[in-house]
Amino acid sequence: MSMADDLMEGMRAGRLVPYLGPGATALAAGEGVPVTPEGLATFMGQHVALPRRARGNPWAAGQYIESSRHRATLIALMDKAYENPVPPGSLHLTLAGLRPTMIVDTWYDGAMRAALQATPGESWGEVQGITRAGIGEARWFRAYRPDGTEADMAEAEGWHTILYKPHGGVTPDHNYLVADSDYVEVLTEIDIQTPIPDIVRRRRTDCGFVFLGCRFNDQMLRIYARQILKRSAGPHYAIVDAGELTRNELRLFDDLGVTLVPMPLPQVQALLAAG
């Protein structure tokens, strides 16, 4: 059995959780849709003049825009960045058809949600991280049904598949964690797991994770990966271009016990779709 067969069977059986990064979006997105953190920072800089310290970093750029132009301007820019829906690619549709117990999607587009909507199968719903900046609530996340209406977490317990969007997304409710201020409280408490939904913590216990289209050359993204995988059983895999990995990324994978699979993501997408 090939590695792709192993991964697909593990995801189908609920032993492996797909963990999608912006590289998965890049396989399906049209021109103009930011598909890297650096690309998102560039998009912001095309609409708001950014100071040098904020260029190339979307979290710093988002903070500058929020501080200088108001939160509403930042949300409007994020909406504009993802106003053209990303159609589900074959990777999204394959994963939707597998209906694993959980899918982690760390980018802001709605392609994975659209794939689940378009694919018959077991029940599903979405849990998104939300900013606590200015909302006057003590919540870290919200749950949404397939039709986009909000559900309580008790209802989410009955969904076969959870789509977990830790940084929020354009659909269904324009939730974005993207400014430094969005992450201040999260990163303060993430080590004790408070911002991670209970349902995610329970479902990861007997699972490993498969990183697909992910880069971790940013400290904040590495922190999230460590905390989402915390106390999960493994094994873990990462589809990577080994020649591009930074020292910090290699250290992260080594610390987490991740097996590197040196294979272009489009090739993995084709193998999974063929399987």
Side-chain angles (χ1 to χ4, degrees):
M1 183 180 289
S2 69
M3 177 65 74
D5 290 334
D6 287 342
L7 297 181
M8 191 165 178
E9 179 55 34
M11 288 184 286
R12 180 184 291 113
R15 297 191 305 270
L16 294 175
V17 173
Y19 190 118
L20 305 181
T25 301
L27 294 178
E31 290 188 12
V33 177
V35 293
T36 64
E38 297 79 9
L40 179 55
T42 297
F43 176 88
M44 291 177 176
Q46 291 169 346
H47 293 82
V48 175
L50 299 172
R52 183 180 299 275
R53 60 182 170 75
R55 296 173 193 168
N57 184 312
W59 337 123
Q63 184 61 50
Y64 175 79
I65 293 166
E66 181 178 73
S67 300
S68 64
R69 299 289 187 91
H70 198 267
R71 179 75 185 184
T73 302
L74 177 58
I75 293 173
L77 265 182
M78 290 297 292
D79 286 348
K80 185 174 181 62
Y82 298 98
E83 65 182 354
N84 295 321
V86 177
S90 61
L91 177 61
H92 299 107
L93 293 168
T94 298
L95 296 177
L98 294 177
R99 282 297 199 271
T101 58
M102 185 164 61
I103 300 170
V104 179
D105 182 3
T106 62
W107 205 231
Y108 300 104
D109 64 283
M112 193 64 241
R113 160 175 272 272
L116 287 162
Q117 287 174 320
T119 308
E122 301 285 351
S123 64
W124 68 278
E126 183 170 359
V127 179
Q128 289 192 354
I130 61 172
T131 180
R132 305 205 330 159
I135 66 171
E137 298 181 21
R139 292 193 290 170
W140 299 95
F141 39 80
R142 291 185 178 131
Y144 297 94
R145 302 180 184 95
D147 65 2
T149 57
E150 191 172 347
D152 59 38
M153 295 306 296
E155 180 180 334
E157 294 290 345
W159 297 335
H160 178 83
T161 297
I162 296 293
L163 173 59
Y164 177 41
K165 302 271 286 185
H167 305 282
V170 65
T171 58
D173 205 23
H174 310 276
N175 296 314
Y176 304 113
L177 277 77
V178 67
D180 281 337
S181 58
D182 295 331
Y183 292 106
V184 169
E185 287 187 276
V186 174
L187 296 182
T188 298
E189 297 208 19
I190 200 167
D191 192 51
I192 59 173
Q193 297 279 286
T194 310
I196 308 293
D198 288 345
I199 193 170
V200 172
R201 288 188 257 172
R202 284 193 294 273
R203 294 197 179 197
R204 73 186 176 191
T205 302
D206 299 321
C207 296
F209 286 78
V210 183
F211 294 110
L212 298 159
C214 298
R215 292 299 305 272
F216 296 103
N217 49 352
D218 180 278
Q219 183 181 16
M220 190 272 291
L221 298 177
R222 293 193 295 273
I223 290 171
Y224 260 81
R226 288 180 186 278
Q227 295 302 327
I228 291 173
L229 269 65
K230 197 171 188 176
R231 302 190 183 95
S232 58
H236 310 303
Y237 303 89
I239 308 302
V240 298
D241 184 338
E244 294 184 354
L245 296 178
T246 66
R247 182 179 303 175
N248 284 329
E249 288 176 298
L250 290 170
R251 183 180 298 119
L252 172 74
F253 290 140
D254 184 59
D255 290 347
L256 295 176
V258 175
T259 297
L260 302 184
V261 182
M263 188 181 296
L265 188 58
Q267 183 179 347
V268 174
Q269 174 179 255
L271 290 171
L272 291 174

